[in-house]
PDB file of all heavy atoms in Angstrom:
ATOM      1  N   MET A  10       0.848  -1.193   0.000  1.00  0.00           N
ATOM      2  CA  MET A  10       0.000   0.000   0.000  1.00  0.00           C
ATOM      3  C   MET A  10       0.882   1.240   0.000  1.00  0.00           C
ATOM      4  O   MET A  10       1.817   1.341   0.776  1.00  0.00           O
ATOM      5  CB  MET A  10      -0.913  -0.069   1.230  1.00  0.00           C
ATOM      6  CG  MET A  10      -1.710   1.178   1.533  1.00  0.00           C
ATOM      7  SD  MET A  10      -2.739   1.683   0.156  1.00  0.00           S
ATOM      8  CE  MET A  10      -2.917   3.390   0.499  1.00  0.00           C
ATOM      9  N   GLY A  45      -6.179  -1.263   0.632  1.00  0.00           N
ATOM     10  CA  GLY A  45      -5.919  -1.185  -0.803  1.00  0.00           C
ATOM     11  C   GLY A  45      -5.536  -2.509  -1.424  1.00  0.00           C
ATOM     12  O   GLY A  45      -5.361  -2.580  -2.636  1.00  0.00           O
ATOM     13  N   ARG A  63      -0.644   6.863 -10.392  1.00  0.00           N
ATOM     14  CA  ARG A  63      -0.417   8.220 -10.907  1.00  0.00           C
ATOM     15  C   ARG A  63      -0.159   9.204  -9.765  1.00  0.00           C
ATOM     16  O   ARG A  63       0.720  10.071  -9.886  1.00  0.00           O
ATOM     17  CB  ARG A  63      -1.628   8.662 -11.725  1.00  0.00           C
ATOM     18  CG  ARG A  63      -1.762   7.951 -13.065  1.00  0.00           C
ATOM     19  CD  ARG A  63      -3.074   8.300 -13.738  1.00  0.00           C
ATOM     20  NE  ARG A  63      -3.199   7.636 -15.031  1.00  0.00           N
ATOM     21  CZ  ARG A  63      -4.318   7.554 -15.714  1.00  0.00           C
ATOM     22  NH1 ARG A  63      -5.439   8.103 -15.226  1.00  0.00           N
ATOM     23  NH2 ARG A  63      -4.362   6.935 -16.879  1.00  0.00           N
ATOM     24  N   GLY A 121      17.659 -46.449 -22.529  1.00  0.00           N
ATOM     25  CA  GLY A 121      18.932 -46.967 -22.053  1.00  0.00           C
ATOM     26  C   GLY A 121      19.629 -45.949 -21.182  1.00  0.00           C
ATOM     27  O   GLY A 121      19.017 -44.972 -20.721  1.00  0.00           O
ATOM     28  N   TYR A 169      12.751 -56.910 -27.931  1.00  0.00           N
ATOM     29  CA  TYR A 169      11.556 -56.073 -28.096  1.00  0.00           C
ATOM     30  C   TYR A 169      10.722 -56.075 -26.819  1.00  0.00           C
ATOM     31  O   TYR A 169      10.224 -55.038 -26.379  1.00  0.00           O
ATOM     32  CB  TYR A 169      10.730 -56.583 -29.277  1.00  0.00           C
ATOM     33  CG  TYR A 169       9.510 -55.758 -29.593  1.00  0.00           C
ATOM     34  CD1 TYR A 169       9.603 -54.608 -30.377  1.00  0.00           C
ATOM     35  CD2 TYR A 169       8.256 -56.104 -29.089  1.00  0.00           C
ATOM     36  CE1 TYR A 169       8.482 -53.848 -30.660  1.00  0.00           C
ATOM     37  CE2 TYR A 169       7.136 -55.352 -29.360  1.00  0.00           C
ATOM     38  CZ  TYR A 169       7.252 -54.224 -30.152  1.00  0.00           C
ATOM     39  OH  TYR A 169       6.139 -53.464 -30.428  1.00  0.00           O
ATOM     40  N   TRP A 179       9.138 -47.118 -16.960  1.00  0.00           N
ATOM     41  CA  TRP A 179       9.651 -45.755 -16.771  1.00  0.00           C
ATOM     42  C   TRP A 179       8.524 -44.725 -16.917  1.00  0.00           C
ATOM     43  O   TRP A 179       8.469 -43.740 -16.167  1.00  0.00           O
ATOM     44  CB  TRP A 179      10.770 -45.462 -17.767  1.00  0.00           C
ATOM     45  CG  TRP A 179      12.102 -45.997 -17.382  1.00  0.00           C
ATOM     46  CD1 TRP A 179      12.797 -47.008 -17.961  1.00  0.00           C
ATOM     47  CD2 TRP A 179      12.929 -45.543 -16.296  1.00  0.00           C
ATOM     48  NE1 TRP A 179      13.993 -47.228 -17.331  1.00  0.00           N
ATOM     49  CE2 TRP A 179      14.103 -46.345 -16.300  1.00  0.00           C
ATOM     50  CE3 TRP A 179      12.796 -44.567 -15.325  1.00  0.00           C
ATOM     51  CZ2 TRP A 179      15.129 -46.170 -15.377  1.00  0.00           C
ATOM     52  CZ3 TRP A 179      13.808 -44.401 -14.396  1.00  0.00           C
ATOM     53  CH2 TRP A 179      14.958 -45.192 -14.425  1.00  0.00           C
ATOM     54  N   SER A 236       8.529 -36.688 -20.156  1.00  0.00           N
ATOM     55  CA  SER A 236       9.335 -37.905 -20.257  1.00  0.00           C
ATOM     56  C   SER A 236       8.483 -39.163 -20.144  1.00  0.00           C
ATOM     57  O   SER A 236       8.879 -40.218 -20.647  1.00  0.00           O
ATOM     58  CB  SER A 236      10.403 -37.912 -19.160  1.00  0.00           C
ATOM     59  OG  SER A 236      11.211 -36.750 -19.227  1.00  0.00           O
ATOM     60  N   TYR A 343      15.266 -25.347 -44.700  1.00  0.00           N
ATOM     61  CA  TYR A 343      15.137 -25.361 -46.166  1.00  0.00           C
ATOM     62  C   TYR A 343      14.303 -24.168 -46.609  1.00  0.00           C
ATOM     63  O   TYR A 343      13.519 -23.600 -45.857  1.00  0.00           O
ATOM     64  CB  TYR A 343      14.523 -26.676 -46.651  1.00  0.00           C
ATOM     65  CG  TYR A 343      13.201 -27.040 -46.021  1.00  0.00           C
ATOM     66  CD1 TYR A 343      12.011 -26.434 -46.427  1.00  0.00           C
ATOM     67  CD2 TYR A 343      13.133 -27.995 -45.015  1.00  0.00           C
ATOM     68  CE1 TYR A 343      10.808 -26.771 -45.854  1.00  0.00           C
ATOM     69  CE2 TYR A 343      11.931 -28.343 -44.434  1.00  0.00           C
ATOM     70  CZ  TYR A 343      10.765 -27.731 -44.857  1.00  0.00           C
ATOM     71  OH  TYR A 343       9.573 -28.058 -44.281  1.00  0.00           O
ATOM     72  N   PHE A 379     -17.378 -34.037 -17.155  1.00  0.00           N
ATOM     73  CA  PHE A 379     -17.700 -35.315 -16.516  1.00  0.00           C
ATOM     74  C   PHE A 379     -16.758 -35.571 -15.335  1.00  0.00           C
ATOM     75  O   PHE A 379     -17.194 -36.010 -14.268  1.00  0.00           O
ATOM     76  CB  PHE A 379     -17.585 -36.443 -17.540  1.00  0.00           C
ATOM     77  CG  PHE A 379     -17.659 -37.822 -16.929  1.00  0.00           C
ATOM     78  CD1 PHE A 379     -18.874 -38.350 -16.530  1.00  0.00           C
ATOM     79  CD2 PHE A 379     -16.512 -38.580 -16.757  1.00  0.00           C
ATOM     80  CE1 PHE A 379     -18.944 -39.612 -15.963  1.00  0.00           C
ATOM     81  CE2 PHE A 379     -16.573 -39.843 -16.196  1.00  0.00           C
ATOM     82  CZ  PHE A 379     -17.795 -40.360 -15.791  1.00  0.00           C
ATOM     83  N   VAL A 402       1.214 -48.288 -23.428  1.00  0.00           N
ATOM     84  CA  VAL A 402       0.973 -49.603 -24.042  1.00  0.00           C
ATOM     85  C   VAL A 402       0.607 -49.470 -25.517  1.00  0.00           C
ATOM     86  O   VAL A 402       1.082 -50.235 -26.366  1.00  0.00           O
ATOM     87  CB  VAL A 402      -0.127 -50.358 -23.260  1.00  0.00           C
ATOM     88  CG1 VAL A 402      -0.556 -51.617 -24.004  1.00  0.00           C
ATOM     89  CG2 VAL A 402       0.367 -50.709 -21.869  1.00  0.00           C
ATOM     90  N   LEU A 433       9.929 -42.801 -44.240  1.00  0.00           N
ATOM     91  CA  LEU A 433       9.363 -41.614 -44.893  1.00  0.00           C
ATOM     92  C   LEU A 433      10.171 -41.192 -46.117  1.00  0.00           C
ATOM     93  O   LEU A 433       9.670 -40.427 -46.960  1.00  0.00           O
ATOM     94  CB  LEU A 433       9.303 -40.447 -43.901  1.00  0.00           C
ATOM     95  CG  LEU A 433       8.079 -40.366 -42.993  1.00  0.00           C
ATOM     96  CD1 LEU A 433       8.218 -39.218 -42.013  1.00  0.00           C
ATOM     97  CD2 LEU A 433       6.803 -40.212 -43.798  1.00  0.00           C
ATOM     98  N   GLY A 486       0.661 -29.172 -21.480  1.00  0.00           N
ATOM     99  CA  GLY A 486       0.469 -28.177 -22.510  1.00  0.00           C
ATOM    100  C   GLY A 486      -0.189 -28.767 -23.735  1.00  0.00           C
ATOM    101  O   GLY A 486      -0.211 -29.992 -23.930  1.00  0.00           O
ATOM    102  N   THR A 529       7.214 -29.969 -51.467  1.00  0.00           N
ATOM    103  CA  THR A 529       7.974 -30.250 -50.248  1.00  0.00           C
ATOM    104  C   THR A 529       7.020 -30.760 -49.175  1.00  0.00           C
ATOM    105  O   THR A 529       6.277 -29.967 -48.578  1.00  0.00           O
ATOM    106  CB  THR A 529       8.687 -28.985 -49.750  1.00  0.00           C
ATOM    107  OG1 THR A 529       9.460 -28.422 -50.817  1.00  0.00           O
ATOM    108  CG2 THR A 529       9.594 -29.305 -48.575  1.00  0.00           C
ATOM    109  N   ALA A 539       0.494 -25.540 -38.005  1.00  0.00           N
ATOM    110  CA  ALA A 539      -0.093 -24.226 -37.725  1.00  0.00           C
ATOM    111  C   ALA A 539      -1.614 -24.282 -37.780  1.00  0.00           C
ATOM    112  O   ALA A 539      -2.306 -23.669 -36.947  1.00  0.00           O
ATOM    113  CB  ALA A 539       0.439 -23.201 -38.723  1.00  0.00           C
ATOM    114  N   THR A 549      -4.215 -16.303 -34.460  1.00  0.00           N
ATOM    115  CA  THR A 549      -4.060 -15.960 -35.879  1.00  0.00           C
ATOM    116  C   THR A 549      -2.698 -15.307 -36.128  1.00  0.00           C
ATOM    117  O   THR A 549      -1.758 -15.967 -36.549  1.00  0.00           O
ATOM    118  CB  THR A 549      -5.197 -15.027 -36.328  1.00  0.00           C
ATOM    119  OG1 THR A 549      -5.279 -13.908 -35.431  1.00  0.00           O
ATOM    120  CG2 THR A 549      -6.526 -15.757 -36.341  1.00  0.00           C
ATOM    121  N   GLY A 597     -15.524 -21.565 -14.347  1.00  0.00           N
ATOM    122  CA  GLY A 597     -16.301 -20.509 -13.723  1.00  0.00           C
ATOM    123  C   GLY A 597     -15.511 -19.280 -13.356  1.00  0.00           C
ATOM    124  O   GLY A 597     -15.902 -18.535 -12.452  1.00  0.00           O
ATOM    125  N   MET A 617     -29.246  -4.807 -12.255  1.00  0.00           N
ATOM    126  CA  MET A 617     -28.737  -4.327 -10.970  1.00  0.00           C
ATOM    127  C   MET A 617     -29.326  -5.110  -9.801  1.00  0.00           C
ATOM    128  O   MET A 617     -30.373  -5.744  -9.896  1.00  0.00           O
ATOM    129  CB  MET A 617     -29.053  -2.838 -10.813  1.00  0.00           C
ATOM    130  CG  MET A 617     -30.505  -2.550 -10.534  1.00  0.00           C
ATOM    131  SD  MET A 617     -30.825  -0.816 -10.192  1.00  0.00           S
ATOM    132  CE  MET A 617     -32.521  -0.888  -9.646  1.00  0.00           C
ATOM    133  N   MET A 657     -30.255   7.706   5.194  1.00  0.00           N
ATOM    134  CA  MET A 657     -31.137   6.634   4.730  1.00  0.00           C
ATOM    135  C   MET A 657     -32.349   7.202   3.995  1.00  0.00           C
ATOM    136  O   MET A 657     -32.921   6.546   3.133  1.00  0.00           O
ATOM    137  CB  MET A 657     -31.598   5.793   5.928  1.00  0.00           C
ATOM    138  CG  MET A 657     -30.500   4.953   6.558  1.00  0.00           C
ATOM    139  SD  MET A 657     -29.897   3.678   5.411  1.00  0.00           S
ATOM    140  CE  MET A 657     -28.743   2.825   6.489  1.00  0.00           C
ATOM    141  N   VAL A 666     -16.945   2.248  -0.303  1.00  0.00           N
ATOM    142  CA  VAL A 666     -15.866   1.734   0.523  1.00  0.00           C
ATOM    143  C   VAL A 666     -15.837   0.219   0.407  1.00  0.00           C
ATOM    144  O   VAL A 666     -16.880  -0.438   0.377  1.00  0.00           O
ATOM    145  CB  VAL A 666     -16.021   2.163   2.004  1.00  0.00           C
ATOM    146  CG1 VAL A 666     -17.307   1.596   2.595  1.00  0.00           C
ATOM    147  CG2 VAL A 666     -14.811   1.734   2.822  1.00  0.00           C
ATOM    148  N   ARG A 668     -15.141  -3.605   1.630  1.00  0.00           N
ATOM    149  CA  ARG A 668     -15.335  -4.319   2.886  1.00  0.00           C
ATOM    150  C   ARG A 668     -13.997  -4.556   3.593  1.00  0.00           C
ATOM    151  O   ARG A 668     -13.880  -4.338   4.800  1.00  0.00           O
ATOM    152  CB  ARG A 668     -16.021  -5.657   2.596  1.00  0.00           C
ATOM    153  CG  ARG A 668     -16.232  -6.527   3.830  1.00  0.00           C
ATOM    154  CD  ARG A 668     -16.652  -7.934   3.452  1.00  0.00           C
ATOM    155  NE  ARG A 668     -17.044  -8.683   4.628  1.00  0.00           N
ATOM    156  CZ  ARG A 668     -18.287  -8.740   5.100  1.00  0.00           C
ATOM    157  NH1 ARG A 668     -19.259  -8.089   4.484  1.00  0.00           N
ATOM    158  NH2 ARG A 668     -18.562  -9.446   6.176  1.00  0.00           N
ATOM    159  N   ARG A 669     -12.990  -4.983   2.840  1.00  0.00           N
ATOM    160  CA  ARG A 669     -11.694  -5.284   3.443  1.00  0.00           C
ATOM    161  C   ARG A 669     -11.070  -4.038   4.058  1.00  0.00           C
ATOM    162  O   ARG A 669     -10.557  -4.073   5.181  1.00  0.00           O
ATOM    163  CB  ARG A 669     -10.768  -5.884   2.388  1.00  0.00           C
ATOM    164  CG  ARG A 669      -9.368  -6.199   2.882  1.00  0.00           C
ATOM    165  CD  ARG A 669      -8.523  -6.790   1.753  1.00  0.00           C
ATOM    166  NE  ARG A 669      -7.136  -6.981   2.166  1.00  0.00           N
ATOM    167  CZ  ARG A 669      -6.691  -8.049   2.799  1.00  0.00           C
ATOM    168  NH1 ARG A 669      -7.532  -9.024   3.110  1.00  0.00           N
ATOM    169  NH2 ARG A 669      -5.424  -8.165   3.135  1.00  0.00           N
ATOM    170  N   VAL A 703     -17.040  16.665  22.844  1.00  0.00           N
ATOM    171  CA  VAL A 703     -17.221  17.155  24.203  1.00  0.00           C
ATOM    172  C   VAL A 703     -16.669  16.156  25.195  1.00  0.00           C
ATOM    173  O   VAL A 703     -16.591  14.963  24.934  1.00  0.00           O
ATOM    174  CB  VAL A 703     -18.724  17.411  24.484  1.00  0.00           C
ATOM    175  CG1 VAL A 703     -19.260  18.505  23.596  1.00  0.00           C
ATOM    176  CG2 VAL A 703     -19.518  16.121  24.307  1.00  0.00           C
ATOM    177  N   PRO A 707     -17.705   9.432  23.666  1.00  0.00           N
ATOM    178  CA  PRO A 707     -16.749   8.596  22.931  1.00  0.00           C
ATOM    179  C   PRO A 707     -16.089   9.378  21.800  1.00  0.00           C
ATOM    180  O   PRO A 707     -16.700  10.253  21.186  1.00  0.00           O
ATOM    181  CB  PRO A 707     -17.612   7.458  22.398  1.00  0.00           C
ATOM    182  CG  PRO A 707     -18.994   8.018  22.331  1.00  0.00           C
ATOM    183  CD  PRO A 707     -19.097   8.994  23.469  1.00  0.00           C
ATOM    184  N   VAL A 721     -17.628   4.967 -10.105  1.00  0.00           N
ATOM    185  CA  VAL A 721     -18.258   4.992 -11.426  1.00  0.00           C
ATOM    186  C   VAL A 721     -19.747   4.707 -11.262  1.00  0.00           C
ATOM    187  O   VAL A 721     -20.144   3.736 -10.602  1.00  0.00           O
ATOM    188  CB  VAL A 721     -17.609   3.945 -12.351  1.00  0.00           C
ATOM    189  CG1 VAL A 721     -18.318   3.919 -13.703  1.00  0.00           C
ATOM    190  CG2 VAL A 721     -16.136   4.251 -12.528  1.00  0.00           C
ATOM    191  N   MET A 735     -18.042  -0.619 -20.531  1.00  0.00           N
ATOM    192  CA  MET A 735     -17.356   0.049 -19.425  1.00  0.00           C
ATOM    193  C   MET A 735     -16.592  -0.968 -18.576  1.00  0.00           C
ATOM    194  O   MET A 735     -15.445  -0.725 -18.183  1.00  0.00           O
ATOM    195  CB  MET A 735     -18.365   0.809 -18.565  1.00  0.00           C
ATOM    196  CG  MET A 735     -18.991   2.021 -19.238  1.00  0.00           C
ATOM    197  SD  MET A 735     -20.318   2.758 -18.270  1.00  0.00           S
ATOM    198  CE  MET A 735     -19.420   3.309 -16.818  1.00  0.00           C
ATOM    199  N   ASP A 774     -25.345 -19.766 -12.790  1.00  0.00           N
ATOM    200  CA  ASP A 774     -24.661 -20.155 -11.558  1.00  0.00           C
ATOM    201  C   ASP A 774     -23.301 -20.776 -11.818  1.00  0.00           C
ATOM    202  O   ASP A 774     -22.608 -21.168 -10.868  1.00  0.00           O
ATOM    203  CB  ASP A 774     -25.519 -21.143 -10.772  1.00  0.00           C
ATOM    204  CG  ASP A 774     -26.796 -20.495 -10.246  1.00  0.00           C
ATOM    205  OD1 ASP A 774     -26.747 -19.277  -9.977  1.00  0.00           O
ATOM    206  OD2 ASP A 774     -27.807 -21.190 -10.126  1.00  0.00           O
TER     207      ASP A 774
END
Side-chain angles (χ1 to χ4, degrees):
M10 170 57 204
R63 288 173 179 167
Y169 183 83
W179 279 111
S236 304
Y343 55 78
F379 170 77
V402 171
L433 275 176
T529 307
T549 52
M617 73 174 189
M657 290 295 184
V666 62
R668 178 191 189 91
R669 178 180 174 85
V703 296
V721 177
M735 291 173 64
D774 293 330

